[in-house]
Amino acid sequence: VRLPIEAMVAGQGRQVQLFYVDDNGLAKSHHVNFDRLGDDYLTVGIDQLAGIDQIVTDGAAYLQVGDTLNILP
């Protein structure tokens, strides 16, 4: 799966932290190992995103776990 680089919050080596939206509209943290890192994207295996429907990109660097998210269309 190709994700915008803005989804990456922190990382060490090939492991990076992402935020996703849980069923209650709250920010949750998730760590994945990326396969490829480009200028404006990273790719991860689909199996690493099991059960995750929405990855946060805009403002991800400013989130904390449990923050309430306002999803825009």
Side-chain angles (χ1 to χ4, degrees):
V1 175
R2 188 173 171 149
L3 301 172
I5 198 73
E6 293 84 6
M8 184 173 68
V9 177
Q12 182 174 357
R14 297 187 80 78
Q15 187 178 66
V16 297
Q17 177 188 13
L18 310 171
F19 278 103
Y20 70 95
V21 183
D22 75 2
D23 294 337
N24 298 313
L26 302 177
K28 297 294 181 184
S29 177
H30 186 67
H31 289 86
V32 296
N33 294 313
F34 67 85
D35 299 318
R36 176 175 286 159
L37 181 63
D39 290 336
D40 61 350
Y41 71 93
L42 61 129
T43 61
V44 300
I46 187 78
D47 57 318
Q48 295 189 72
L49 300 175
I52 296 175
D53 294 325
Q54 294 180 310
I55 298 288
V56 177
T57 54
D58 292 344
Y62 305 103
L63 288 177
Q64 294 183 12
V65 173
D67 283 351
T68 301
L69 301 174
N70 187 14
I71 308 303
L72 301 175

